[in-house]
């Protein structure tokens, strides 16, 4: 299950799931490039991990901008000469039904969650094809499978990634393995933000949610990081074109 020595890009690598992945991959001995639009948090994390002797660099990147993604790929090649794995994880969340959303919401969610993944794949795939090998892991969501109330745009943006995973797998067979990670309820700033506006404190909501999850706890970023490290490793070399659901068993619960 080793990713030691592999060059791994993690987008959204400065908060929540992405930060957990950056910490874990660096601890496993990978050469990690953490990319996000959180410059300050990125510099802090870089300093902390480098002080521990980890091979980790931060680069500002707005995944919704093609030039920014090109810069990420170019700088990673300059530093490490190859890209073994991409964990395309950056994402944004907004609530709302189709009757609520604005063009601004559409541009943000589709721009980051969908276009961002297209840009990353567009510029990373040729590098992996030249190398003859590479792995792309994309963070989707159980929102791909569930019609969450007031989540039309978020669910649609994540469902698009499921199709992208299948198409990348067929179009770039032989050199690029593509796998989705489909998290359920993971304890991150994004989850906390989704509790805003409810009439109970976050802790009470979390406790109630935990009682509904078959494994009786929220997921942690490290749960996702361990799974992602396995999927990137050569031990997962027969896994492509599919997604791993990490939701503590929630998806199989009966609807009533
Ligand atoms: N937390 C959950 O329960 C949960 C469940 C399912 C899926 N997810 C998905 O997991 C991923 C990570 O979410 P999280 O919960 O860690 O959220 P988070 O808000 O803690 O982290 C999101 C990260 O994405 C980055 N980001 C946002 N817009 C960006 C942009 N334009 N360019 C570059 N980086 C950008 C942020 O800077 C941040 O580092 C997202 O794709 C999210 O949709 C989360």
């Amino acid at each position: 299950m080793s990713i030691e020595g592999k060059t791994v890009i993690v987008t959204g690598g400065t908060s929540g799931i992405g930060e957990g992945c950056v910490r874990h991959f660096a601890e496993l001995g990978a050469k990690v490039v953490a990319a996000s639009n959180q410059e300050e948090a990125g510099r802090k994390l870089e300093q902390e991990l480098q002080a521990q002797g980890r091979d980790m660099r931060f680069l500002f990147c707005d995944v919704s901008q093609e030039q920014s993604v090109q810069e990420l790929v170019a700088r990673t090649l300059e530093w490490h000469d190859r890209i073994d794995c991409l964990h395309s994880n950056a994402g944004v969340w907004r609530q709302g039904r189709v009757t609520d959303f604005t063009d601004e919401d559409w541009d943000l969610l589709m721009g980051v969650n969908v276009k961002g993944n297209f840009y990353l794949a567009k510029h990373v795939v040729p590098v992996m094809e030249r190398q003859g090998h590479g792995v792309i892991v994309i963070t989707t969501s159980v929102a791909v499978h569930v019609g969450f109330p007031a989540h039309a745009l978020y669910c649609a943006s994540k469902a698009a990634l499921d199709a992208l995973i299948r198409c990348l797998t067929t179009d770039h067979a032989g050199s690029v393995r593509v796998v989705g990670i489909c998290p359920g309820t993971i304890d991150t700033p994004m989850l906390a933000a989704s509790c805003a506006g409810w009439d109970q404190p976050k802790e009470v909501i979390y406790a109630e949610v935990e009682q509904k999850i078959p494994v009786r706890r929220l997921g942690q970023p490290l749960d996702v990081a361990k799974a992602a490290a396995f999927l990137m490793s050569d031990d997962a070399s027969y896994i492509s074109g599919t997604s791993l659901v990490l939701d503590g068993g929630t998806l199989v619960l009966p609807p009533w």
Side-chain angles (χ1 to χ4, degrees):
M1 251 184 66
S2 178
I3 54 166
E4 192 178 354
K6 289 188 194 276
T7 299
V8 183
I9 295 176
V10 182
T11 66
T14 49
S15 174
I17 292 173
E19 180 184 339
C21 290
V22 165
R23 289 179 180 279
H24 187 59
F25 301 164
E27 201 179 310
L28 292 176
K31 299 168 186 170
V32 183
V33 177
S36 89
N37 59 354
Q38 294 169 311
E39 180 95 44
E40 206 185 319
R43 294 284 160 227
K44 231 172 113 189
L45 186 61
E46 183 182 57
Q47 258 183 10
E48 183 195 327
L49 295 187
Q50 286 186 358
Q52 294 168 10
R54 311 289 186 219
D55 192 336
M56 181 279 203
R57 294 183 201 232
F58 168 75
L59 193 71
F60 177 91
C61 175
D62 178 347
V63 297
S64 67
Q65 303 300 315
E66 186 165 20
Q67 211 183 334
S68 194
V69 170
Q70 283 176 290
E71 166 88 7
L72 169 63
V73 171
R75 291 293 294 278
T76 304
L77 290 175
E78 205 180 291
W79 288 331
H80 299 297
D81 213 28
R82 56 186 295 113
I83 301 171
D84 298 297
C85 311
L86 162 69
H87 185 177
S88 188
N89 165 80
V92 286
W93 168 88
R94 284 290 179 280
Q95 224 170 353
R97 297 167 298 174
V98 288
T99 44
D100 301 321
F101 81 88
T102 61
D103 275 0
E104 204 182 311
D105 296 327
W106 173 274
D107 290 345
L108 178 74
L109 263 88
M110 291 299 178
V112 177
N113 295 1
V114 183
K115 210 194 230 180
N117 272 287
F118 271 75
Y119 284 149
L120 282 154
K122 177 178 172 186
H123 293 289
V124 166
V125 162
V127 176
M128 292 181 168
E129 288 191 322
R130 268 200 310 277
Q131 295 169 175
H133 182 257
V135 185
I136 298 178
V137 172
I138 297 180
T139 307
T140 65
S141 168
V142 287
V144 168
H145 304 288
V146 178
F148 284 114
H151 272 76
L153 201 43
Y154 182 75
C155 290
S157 73
K158 290 295 182 176
L161 301 183
D162 236 24
L164 178 64
I165 288 163
R166 288 189 284 273
C167 293
L168 286 172
T169 301
T170 52
D171 286 345
H172 305 285
S175 46
V176 187
R177 240 180 357 99
V178 191
V179 192
I181 279 206
C182 181
T185 315
I186 313 294
D187 189 2
T188 70
M190 185 185 283
L191 186 69
S194 73
C195 296
W198 289 54
D199 49 9
Q200 285 175 315
K202 185 185 86 173
E203 292 68 28
V204 176
I205 300 170
Y206 282 10
E208 279 176 17
V209 170
E210 281 177 336
Q211 284 318 303
K212 291 183 183 152
I213 298 171
V215 303
R216 299 284 185 265
R217 67 171 177 88
L218 297 183
Q220 294 299 322
L222 186 59
D223 291 313
V224 180
K226 286 177 178 171
F230 163 66
L231 292 172
M232 287 172 181
S233 77
D234 295 341
D235 281 354
S237 61
Y238 206 61
I239 304 178
S240 195
T242 188
S243 292
L244 177 66
V245 176
L246 270 155
D247 70 342
T250 317
L251 266 189
V252 300
L253 288 177
W256 53 76

